[in-house]
Amino acid sequence: TLIGSQPVNPIIIPDEIVVCESPSCQCTNTAPCTIQCIPTFLLPDACAGALLICPQDFACTVYFSEGAGGGAMVTAPVGNDLTVNCEGGFSCGGANFIAQYSNAVSYTCLGGESCMGANLNCGIGHCKVDCSGGAACDGAGISVGVALSFNCFGGLAACPMTYTAAPVPVPTWAPCNALSDCPCDYP
């Protein structure tokens, strides 16, 4: 589009960042959003028992630092991706992630004893649960739901063993060409 002789510069809306310091924090639903729960001297248990509301129409990342997010409830996007990083020790303990209607969902529980007793719910796309931290995901409930695919690992993670992936179509033969052997009669 041109106005006069100059091209119009598109308006770029930057991703939203919400630093949560109250019992309820919400993204504005105008752009992808990151919610940060980082303890401070005045708020040592950031996001403890908090309601964290991701944007419904955009991707959302929730970051929990050392000891943050105990008992938090996170409402995830609908049809968009959710990424949860529980990087600090004792982070995300007893947290509940309502993500059944999200697309791809990823939980990374790297802190020692992170995600203990949490409810980790998958969406409708790919779901990844990484419980690499020491004692991470101990007692956590992991619900695959109707995820398209699922990847879960960690020493104490209760990864569902009965998960069956969605049906995959049988691969077809590659098209024949004169440069390779083909299972068909190439003239």
Side-chain angles (χ1 to χ4, degrees), residues 75-125:
T75 62
V78 174
N80 288 284
D81 298 346
L82 172 67
T83 302
V84 177
N85 294 309
C86 301
E87 295 188 2
F90 301 98
S91 59
C92 304
N96 186 17
F97 298 92
I98 302 169
Q100 293 85 336
Y101 300 107
S102 294
N103 187 28
V105 177
S106 174
Y107 299 99
T108 304
C109 303
L110 298 180
E113 301 184 36
S114 60
C115 301
M116 289 180 69
N119 290 313
L120 309 175
N121 293 295
C122 294
I124 58 175

Side-chain angles (χ1 to χ4, degrees), residues 7-21:
V8 174
N9 292 329
I11 297 174
I12 299 172
I13 299 173
D15 291 357
E16 180 179 9
I17 297 175
V18 174
V19 178
C20 189
E21 297 176 337

Side-chain angles (χ1 to χ4, degrees), residues 176-182 186:
C176 291
N177 62 47
L179 301 176
S180 65
D181 294 334
C182 293
Y186 187 80

